[in-house]
Amino acid sequence: MQTPVLKIIQLSKTFSLGKNDFLALKDISIAFPKTGFVLISGKSGSGKSTLLNLIAGIHKPSEGHVFYRDKAIDAMSERHLCAYRNRELGFVFQQYNLFDKQSVLFNVILPLLIDGKGIAKAYETGEQLLKLYGMEEMAKRDVAKLSGGEKQRVAIIRAIINNPAIVLADEPTGALDRQNAERTMLFLKEISSERLVIVVSHDLELVRSYSTRHIEIKDGKVAHDSGPIC
Ligand code: ADP
Ligand code: MG
């Protein structure tokens, strides 16, 4: 059994809604190994995005902890949390979150620029990574001119440019047709051989065949976990 890269221990999240509190996640514990493709499914409103936001340190837990390599992320300083988000995590969203008026290459290298890398080195790294995945011909094109499937592949390249240990994808195929959704899954599967990839999706039929583990969230709780438990 691999040592977990990410551990969620007795995690709960309460949102305050005026006078009322709403318990979005209830006492969740999950350990994730260093590599693999984990599918998180559940109905709309079950708490999937909240869970990803807690893993990303965007929300603070109401109770419990998220440990990244044995460091509690809720106890990290703002500087460490920024470094964790930028270097150890990659994000992929349903709506790609790319800069439409900029080139593919510029979008891909943004995390490197944010991290303070020199522009020449960043361009070189971006070009190499696009080439590695057979996308070098797209480098100079404006993102606005790409298809949805191409945009999502660019977003995945951007998510891995810092070689993060974890990639979080929230409904990454929600805006794609079947063929492009399958290609996106294949791409995420490919990158999961070297890192942990957590994909939130309600499209079970699509994602199940690619995932190595399936966790179902129901009303803020783990309703099913196919393992492995580490
Ligand atoms: P999912 O991604 O599974 O559709 P979410 O994690 O987005 O669900 O939301 C889970 C529940 O928590 C929902 O009922 C939602 O309305 C509520 N929720 C999420 N974020 C907030 C927030 N910032 N403030 C109040 N309630 C929230
Ligand atoms: Mg969601």
Side-chain angles (χ1 to χ4, degrees):
M1 202 76 75
Q2 294 177 23
T3 344
V5 66
L6 185 71
K7 267 190 292 186
I8 292 170
I9 312 260
Q10 297 181 326
L11 190 70
S12 295
K13 179 66 188 173
T14 306
F15 291 112
S16 298
L17 300 168
K19 282 183 194 160
N20 302 315
D21 282 349
F22 177 76
L23 197 52
L25 287 183
K26 302 164 193 166
D27 196 20
I28 285 193
S29 296
I30 314 168
F32 296 94
K34 282 184 189 145
T35 59
F37 188 122
V38 182
L39 159 66
I40 296 184
S41 72
K43 285 187 187 150
S44 179
S46 57
K48 306 179 298 295
S49 296
T50 304
L51 180 59
L52 290 194
N53 288 335
L54 283 155
I55 292 171
I58 292 162
H59 291 330
K60 289 256 184 222
S62 305
E63 278 176 58
H65 298 281
V66 174
F67 290 95
Y68 171 70
R69 297 191 200 279
D70 290 329
K71 285 205 182 72
I73 64 164
D74 50 291
M76 283 181 188
S77 66
E78 199 53 42
R79 192 169 65 86
H80 277 109
L81 195 56
C82 282
Y84 164 68
R85 281 202 202 111
N86 198 40
R87 292 185 199 148
E88 315 298 339
L89 295 182
F91 298 92
V92 179
F93 306 91
Q94 180 171 337
Q95 294 302 336
Y96 327 118
N97 291 14
L98 297 168
F99 289 95
D100 260 9
K101 290 187 180 139
Q102 301 289 342
S103 72
V104 164
L105 186 56
F106 180 80
N107 272 275
V108 160
I109 66 166
L110 259 181
L112 296 175
L113 300 182
I114 291 168
D115 209 24
K117 300 272 184 338
I119 193 143
K121 180 76 190 145
Y123 273 122
E124 194 189 319
T125 309
E127 277 167 354
Q128 280 169 358
L129 200 57
L130 285 168
K131 194 165 180 198
L132 183 67
Y133 290 103
M135 287 158 62
E136 67 269 34
E137 277 161 25
M138 268 184 217
K140 294 204 170 72
R141 282 164 68 186
D142 280 355
V143 164
K145 300 208 173 100
L146 304 181
S147 72
E150 289 169 335
K151 282 183 190 174
Q152 199 55 300
R153 288 195 287 285
V154 171
I156 294 170
I157 296 276
R158 179 185 59 180
I160 59 170
I161 196 150
N162 267 329
N163 198 18
I166 303 171
V167 169
L168 304 175
D170 200 349
E171 302 280 3
T173 59
L176 300 179
D177 61 35
R178 202 71 190 168
Q179 196 185 359
N180 277 302
E182 297 271 3
R183 279 190 78 172
T184 300
M185 281 303 132
L186 258 180
F187 197 5
L188 288 168
K189 175 83 180 173
E190 194 176 339
I191 66 164
S192 75
S193 63
E194 290 176 9
R195 55 179 60 79
L196 173 67
V197 175
I198 303 178
V199 175
V200 162
S201 179
H202 58 257
D203 192 344
L204 284 185
E205 199 200 322
L206 171 73
V207 191
R208 227 181 216 156
S209 51
Y210 297 91
S211 62
T212 48
R213 179 178 180 183
H214 176 202
I215 297 169
E216 189 191 346
I217 308 282
K218 198 172 178 183
D219 297 331
K221 286 186 172 169
V222 174
H224 167 80
D225 184 353
S226 69
I229 298 153
C230 48

PDB file of all heavy atoms in Angstrom, residues 24-51:
ATOM      1  N   ALA A  24     -22.648  21.135   5.281  1.00  0.00           N
ATOM      2  CA  ALA A  24     -22.449  20.672   3.901  1.00  0.00           C
ATOM      3  C   ALA A  24     -21.625  19.389   3.843  1.00  0.00           C
ATOM      4  O   ALA A  24     -21.820  18.563   2.955  1.00  0.00           O
ATOM      5  CB  ALA A  24     -21.766  21.767   3.079  1.00  0.00           C
ATOM      6  N   LEU A  25     -20.664  19.224   4.776  1.00  0.00           N
ATOM      7  CA  LEU A  25     -19.880  17.979   4.864  1.00  0.00           C
ATOM      8  C   LEU A  25     -19.884  17.505   6.298  1.00  0.00           C
ATOM      9  O   LEU A  25     -19.711  18.305   7.224  1.00  0.00           O
ATOM     10  CB  LEU A  25     -18.430  18.203   4.406  1.00  0.00           C
ATOM     11  CG  LEU A  25     -18.164  18.388   2.916  1.00  0.00           C
ATOM     12  CD1 LEU A  25     -16.666  18.531   2.676  1.00  0.00           C
ATOM     13  CD2 LEU A  25     -18.711  17.248   2.076  1.00  0.00           C
ATOM     14  N   LYS A  26     -20.083  16.203   6.468  1.00  0.00           N
ATOM     15  CA  LYS A  26     -20.262  15.665   7.820  1.00  0.00           C
ATOM     16  C   LYS A  26     -19.262  14.563   8.114  1.00  0.00           C
ATOM     17  O   LYS A  26     -19.423  13.453   7.613  1.00  0.00           O
ATOM     18  CB  LYS A  26     -21.684  15.088   7.960  1.00  0.00           C
ATOM     19  CG  LYS A  26     -22.767  16.107   7.682  1.00  0.00           C
ATOM     20  CD  LYS A  26     -24.109  15.415   7.442  1.00  0.00           C
ATOM     21  CE  LYS A  26     -25.106  16.433   6.858  1.00  0.00           C
ATOM     22  NZ  LYS A  26     -26.293  15.789   6.304  1.00  0.00           N
ATOM     23  N   ASP A  27     -18.236  14.886   8.846  1.00  0.00           N
ATOM     24  CA  ASP A  27     -17.335  13.869   9.391  1.00  0.00           C
ATOM     25  C   ASP A  27     -16.801  12.912   8.318  1.00  0.00           C
ATOM     26  O   ASP A  27     -16.995  11.700   8.386  1.00  0.00           O
ATOM     27  CB  ASP A  27     -18.092  13.087  10.486  1.00  0.00           C
ATOM     28  CG  ASP A  27     -17.138  12.297  11.362  1.00  0.00           C
ATOM     29  OD1 ASP A  27     -15.948  12.631  11.385  1.00  0.00           O
ATOM     30  OD2 ASP A  27     -17.596  11.330  12.007  1.00  0.00           O
ATOM     31  N   ILE A  28     -16.096  13.504   7.365  1.00  0.00           N
ATOM     32  CA  ILE A  28     -15.555  12.704   6.252  1.00  0.00           C
ATOM     33  C   ILE A  28     -14.092  12.352   6.525  1.00  0.00           C
ATOM     34  O   ILE A  28     -13.309  13.223   6.898  1.00  0.00           O
ATOM     35  CB  ILE A  28     -15.686  13.506   4.936  1.00  0.00           C
ATOM     36  CG1 ILE A  28     -17.142  13.486   4.481  1.00  0.00           C
ATOM     37  CG2 ILE A  28     -14.768  12.967   3.854  1.00  0.00           C
ATOM     38  CD1 ILE A  28     -17.358  13.950   3.084  1.00  0.00           C
ATOM     39  N   SER A  29     -13.743  11.079   6.343  1.00  0.00           N
ATOM     40  CA  SER A  29     -12.342  10.640   6.450  1.00  0.00           C
ATOM     41  C   SER A  29     -11.987   9.822   5.204  1.00  0.00           C
ATOM     42  O   SER A  29     -12.681   8.837   4.903  1.00  0.00           O
ATOM     43  CB  SER A  29     -12.112   9.785   7.690  1.00  0.00           C
ATOM     44  OG  SER A  29     -12.332  10.549   8.861  1.00  0.00           O
ATOM     45  N   ILE A  30     -10.952  10.264   4.497  1.00  0.00           N
ATOM     46  CA  ILE A  30     -10.505   9.542   3.295  1.00  0.00           C
ATOM     47  C   ILE A  30      -8.980   9.688   3.199  1.00  0.00           C
ATOM     48  O   ILE A  30      -8.448  10.767   3.463  1.00  0.00           O
ATOM     49  CB  ILE A  30     -11.096  10.134   1.978  1.00  0.00           C
ATOM     50  CG1 ILE A  30     -12.602  10.406   2.075  1.00  0.00           C
ATOM     51  CG2 ILE A  30     -10.789   9.230   0.790  1.00  0.00           C
ATOM     52  CD1 ILE A  30     -13.156  11.244   0.911  1.00  0.00           C
ATOM     53  N   ALA A  31      -8.298   8.612   2.814  1.00  0.00           N
ATOM     54  CA  ALA A  31      -6.857   8.707   2.535  1.00  0.00           C
ATOM     55  C   ALA A  31      -6.640   8.425   1.055  1.00  0.00           C
ATOM     56  O   ALA A  31      -7.214   7.493   0.501  1.00  0.00           O
ATOM     57  CB  ALA A  31      -6.096   7.692   3.379  1.00  0.00           C
ATOM     58  N   PHE A  32      -5.824   9.281   0.422  1.00  0.00           N
ATOM     59  CA  PHE A  32      -5.570   9.157  -1.008  1.00  0.00           C
ATOM     60  C   PHE A  32      -4.101   8.805  -1.265  1.00  0.00           C
ATOM     61  O   PHE A  32      -3.217   9.526  -0.788  1.00  0.00           O
ATOM     62  CB  PHE A  32      -5.845  10.481  -1.724  1.00  0.00           C
ATOM     63  CG  PHE A  32      -7.277  10.927  -1.678  1.00  0.00           C
ATOM     64  CD1 PHE A  32      -7.712  11.791  -0.680  1.00  0.00           C
ATOM     65  CD2 PHE A  32      -8.173  10.515  -2.646  1.00  0.00           C
ATOM     66  CE1 PHE A  32      -9.034  12.230  -0.649  1.00  0.00           C
ATOM     67  CE2 PHE A  32      -9.497  10.949  -2.621  1.00  0.00           C
ATOM     68  CZ  PHE A  32      -9.928  11.810  -1.620  1.00  0.00           C
ATOM     69  N   PRO A  33      -3.833   7.753  -2.024  1.00  0.00           N
ATOM     70  CA  PRO A  33      -2.440   7.423  -2.352  1.00  0.00           C
ATOM     71  C   PRO A  33      -1.835   8.394  -3.372  1.00  0.00           C
ATOM     72  O   PRO A  33      -2.539   9.233  -3.932  1.00  0.00           O
ATOM     73  CB  PRO A  33      -2.528   6.015  -2.937  1.00  0.00           C
ATOM     74  CG  PRO A  33      -3.928   5.856  -3.386  1.00  0.00           C
ATOM     75  CD  PRO A  33      -4.785   6.790  -2.591  1.00  0.00           C
ATOM     76  N   LYS A  34      -0.528   8.260  -3.591  1.00  0.00           N
ATOM     77  CA  LYS A  34       0.205   9.240  -4.407  1.00  0.00           C
ATOM     78  C   LYS A  34      -0.206   9.273  -5.872  1.00  0.00           C
ATOM     79  O   LYS A  34      -0.046  10.289  -6.544  1.00  0.00           O
ATOM     80  CB  LYS A  34       1.702   8.922  -4.340  1.00  0.00           C
ATOM     81  CG  LYS A  34       2.342   9.388  -3.071  1.00  0.00           C
ATOM     82  CD  LYS A  34       3.830   9.128  -3.107  1.00  0.00           C
ATOM     83  CE  LYS A  34       4.413   9.402  -1.734  1.00  0.00           C
ATOM     84  NZ  LYS A  34       5.502   8.488  -1.414  1.00  0.00           N
ATOM     85  N   THR A  35      -0.638   8.136  -6.376  1.00  0.00           N
ATOM     86  CA  THR A  35      -1.049   8.108  -7.783  1.00  0.00           C
ATOM     87  C   THR A  35      -2.429   7.481  -7.891  1.00  0.00           C
ATOM     88  O   THR A  35      -2.895   6.813  -6.967  1.00  0.00           O
ATOM     89  CB  THR A  35      -0.064   7.272  -8.639  1.00  0.00           C
ATOM     90  OG1 THR A  35      -0.026   5.950  -8.110  1.00  0.00           O
ATOM     91  CG2 THR A  35       1.331   7.861  -8.638  1.00  0.00           C
ATOM     92  N   GLY A  36      -3.049   7.699  -9.028  1.00  0.00           N
ATOM     93  CA  GLY A  36      -4.346   7.083  -9.269  1.00  0.00           C
ATOM     94  C   GLY A  36      -5.381   8.094  -9.708  1.00  0.00           C
ATOM     95  O   GLY A  36      -5.164   9.309  -9.651  1.00  0.00           O
ATOM     96  N   PHE A  37      -6.491   7.562 -10.151  1.00  0.00           N
ATOM     97  CA  PHE A  37      -7.559   8.367 -10.737  1.00  0.00           C
ATOM     98  C   PHE A  37      -8.807   8.107  -9.899  1.00  0.00           C
ATOM     99  O   PHE A  37      -9.403   7.028  -9.972  1.00  0.00           O
ATOM    100  CB  PHE A  37      -7.761   7.897 -12.183  1.00  0.00           C
ATOM    101  CG  PHE A  37      -8.679   8.726 -13.012  1.00  0.00           C
ATOM    102  CD1 PHE A  37      -8.224   9.298 -14.192  1.00  0.00           C
ATOM    103  CD2 PHE A  37      -9.991   8.919 -12.641  1.00  0.00           C
ATOM    104  CE1 PHE A  37      -9.073  10.049 -14.987  1.00  0.00           C
ATOM    105  CE2 PHE A  37     -10.843   9.675 -13.422  1.00  0.00           C
ATOM    106  CZ  PHE A  37     -10.386  10.232 -14.599  1.00  0.00           C
ATOM    107  N   VAL A  38      -9.156   9.064  -9.058  1.00  0.00           N
ATOM    108  CA  VAL A  38     -10.275   8.887  -8.129  1.00  0.00           C
ATOM    109  C   VAL A  38     -11.491   9.653  -8.638  1.00  0.00           C
ATOM    110  O   VAL A  38     -11.404  10.857  -8.901  1.00  0.00           O
ATOM    111  CB  VAL A  38      -9.903   9.387  -6.713  1.00  0.00           C
ATOM    112  CG1 VAL A  38     -11.060   9.146  -5.741  1.00  0.00           C
ATOM    113  CG2 VAL A  38      -8.647   8.702  -6.208  1.00  0.00           C
ATOM    114  N   LEU A  39     -12.581   8.942  -8.761  1.00  0.00           N
ATOM    115  CA  LEU A  39     -13.841   9.577  -9.155  1.00  0.00           C
ATOM    116  C   LEU A  39     -14.649   9.893  -7.901  1.00  0.00           C
ATOM    117  O   LEU A  39     -14.840   9.019  -7.040  1.00  0.00           O
ATOM    118  CB  LEU A  39     -14.627   8.610 -10.055  1.00  0.00           C
ATOM    119  CG  LEU A  39     -16.138   8.839 -10.184  1.00  0.00           C
ATOM    120  CD1 LEU A  39     -16.437  10.165 -10.887  1.00  0.00           C
ATOM    121  CD2 LEU A  39     -16.780   7.680 -10.953  1.00  0.00           C
ATOM    122  N   ILE A  40     -15.098  11.144  -7.795  1.00  0.00           N
ATOM    123  CA  ILE A  40     -16.030  11.506  -6.720  1.00  0.00           C
ATOM    124  C   ILE A  40     -17.361  11.853  -7.368  1.00  0.00           C
ATOM    125  O   ILE A  40     -17.432  12.762  -8.211  1.00  0.00           O
ATOM    126  CB  ILE A  40     -15.492  12.675  -5.869  1.00  0.00           C
ATOM    127  CG1 ILE A  40     -14.205  12.239  -5.155  1.00  0.00           C
ATOM    128  CG2 ILE A  40     -16.539  13.133  -4.855  1.00  0.00           C
ATOM    129  CD1 ILE A  40     -13.617  13.240  -4.218  1.00  0.00           C
ATOM    130  N   SER A  41     -18.385  11.091  -7.016  1.00  0.00           N
ATOM    131  CA  SER A  41     -19.693  11.347  -7.611  1.00  0.00           C
ATOM    132  C   SER A  41     -20.696  11.704  -6.512  1.00  0.00           C
ATOM    133  O   SER A  41     -20.394  11.595  -5.321  1.00  0.00           O
ATOM    134  CB  SER A  41     -20.169  10.105  -8.369  1.00  0.00           C
ATOM    135  OG  SER A  41     -20.524   9.093  -7.449  1.00  0.00           O
ATOM    136  N   GLY A  42     -21.852  12.119  -6.937  1.00  0.00           N
ATOM    137  CA  GLY A  42     -22.905  12.478  -5.982  1.00  0.00           C
ATOM    138  C   GLY A  42     -23.851  13.473  -6.640  1.00  0.00           C
ATOM    139  O   GLY A  42     -23.461  14.168  -7.588  1.00  0.00           O
ATOM    140  N   LYS A  43     -25.060  13.536  -6.108  1.00  0.00           N
ATOM    141  CA  LYS A  43     -26.054  14.448  -6.685  1.00  0.00           C
ATOM    142  C   LYS A  43     -25.613  15.898  -6.525  1.00  0.00           C
ATOM    143  O   LYS A  43     -24.775  16.204  -5.670  1.00  0.00           O
ATOM    144  CB  LYS A  43     -27.383  14.267  -5.955  1.00  0.00           C
ATOM    145  CG  LYS A  43     -28.108  13.014  -6.346  1.00  0.00           C
ATOM    146  CD  LYS A  43     -29.490  13.026  -5.700  1.00  0.00           C
ATOM    147  CE  LYS A  43     -30.170  11.694  -5.945  1.00  0.00           C
ATOM    148  NZ  LYS A  43     -31.085  11.340  -4.875  1.00  0.00           N
ATOM    149  N   SER A  44     -26.226  16.776  -7.283  1.00  0.00           N
ATOM    150  CA  SER A  44     -25.985  18.205  -7.137  1.00  0.00           C
ATOM    151  C   SER A  44     -26.307  18.622  -5.695  1.00  0.00           C
ATOM    152  O   SER A  44     -27.330  18.216  -5.150  1.00  0.00           O
ATOM    153  CB  SER A  44     -26.873  18.937  -8.145  1.00  0.00           C
ATOM    154  OG  SER A  44     -26.688  20.294  -8.011  1.00  0.00           O
ATOM    155  N   GLY A  45     -25.403  19.372  -5.082  1.00  0.00           N
ATOM    156  CA  GLY A  45     -25.635  19.835  -3.706  1.00  0.00           C
ATOM    157  C   GLY A  45     -25.170  18.851  -2.638  1.00  0.00           C
ATOM    158  O   GLY A  45     -25.334  19.101  -1.445  1.00  0.00           O
ATOM    159  N   SER A  46     -24.553  17.734  -3.053  1.00  0.00           N
ATOM    160  CA  SER A  46     -24.155  16.724  -2.054  1.00  0.00           C
ATOM    161  C   SER A  46     -22.871  17.107  -1.313  1.00  0.00           C
ATOM    162  O   SER A  46     -22.550  16.502  -0.292  1.00  0.00           O
ATOM    163  CB  SER A  46     -24.005  15.343  -2.709  1.00  0.00           C
ATOM    164  OG  SER A  46     -23.080  15.389  -3.764  1.00  0.00           O
ATOM    165  N   GLY A  47     -22.114  18.074  -1.839  1.00  0.00           N
ATOM    166  CA  GLY A  47     -20.910  18.539  -1.129  1.00  0.00           C
ATOM    167  C   GLY A  47     -19.602  18.278  -1.866  1.00  0.00           C
ATOM    168  O   GLY A  47     -18.524  18.467  -1.299  1.00  0.00           O
ATOM    169  N   LYS A  48     -19.666  17.896  -3.144  1.00  0.00           N
ATOM    170  CA  LYS A  48     -18.458  17.531  -3.905  1.00  0.00           C
ATOM    171  C   LYS A  48     -17.511  18.725  -4.077  1.00  0.00           C
ATOM    172  O   LYS A  48     -16.317  18.629  -3.793  1.00  0.00           O
ATOM    173  CB  LYS A  48     -18.835  16.972  -5.292  1.00  0.00           C
ATOM    174  CG  LYS A  48     -19.824  15.824  -5.242  1.00  0.00           C
ATOM    175  CD  LYS A  48     -20.182  15.309  -6.615  1.00  0.00           C
ATOM    176  CE  LYS A  48     -20.856  16.302  -7.537  1.00  0.00           C
ATOM    177  NZ  LYS A  48     -22.191  16.764  -7.116  1.00  0.00           N
ATOM    178  N   SER A  49     -18.049  19.858  -4.530  1.00  0.00           N
ATOM    179  CA  SER A  49     -17.194  21.033  -4.739  1.00  0.00           C
ATOM    180  C   SER A  49     -16.664  21.561  -3.414  1.00  0.00           C
ATOM    181  O   SER A  49     -15.522  22.019  -3.326  1.00  0.00           O
ATOM    182  CB  SER A  49     -17.952  22.151  -5.473  1.00  0.00           C
ATOM    183  OG  SER A  49     -18.312  21.712  -6.757  1.00  0.00           O
ATOM    184  N   THR A  50     -17.483  21.475  -2.382  1.00  0.00           N
ATOM    185  CA  THR A  50     -17.039  21.898  -1.048  1.00  0.00           C
ATOM    186  C   THR A  50     -15.825  21.070  -0.628  1.00  0.00           C
ATOM    187  O   THR A  50     -14.843  21.610  -0.105  1.00  0.00           O
ATOM    188  CB  THR A  50     -18.187  21.732  -0.025  1.00  0.00           C
ATOM    189  OG1 THR A  50     -19.306  22.475  -0.490  1.00  0.00           O
ATOM    190  CG2 THR A  50     -17.791  22.214   1.359  1.00  0.00           C
ATOM    191  N   LEU A  51     -15.871  19.775  -0.895  1.00  0.00           N
ATOM    192  CA  LEU A  51     -14.754  18.892  -0.547  1.00  0.00           C
ATOM    193  C   LEU A  51     -13.492  19.312  -1.319  1.00  0.00           C
ATOM    194  O   LEU A  51     -12.414  19.434  -0.730  1.00  0.00           O
ATOM    195  CB  LEU A  51     -15.125  17.435  -0.860  1.00  0.00           C
ATOM    196  CG  LEU A  51     -14.082  16.377  -0.550  1.00  0.00           C
ATOM    197  CD1 LEU A  51     -13.708  16.388   0.930  1.00  0.00           C
ATOM    198  CD2 LEU A  51     -14.564  14.980  -0.944  1.00  0.00           C
TER     199      LEU A  51
END
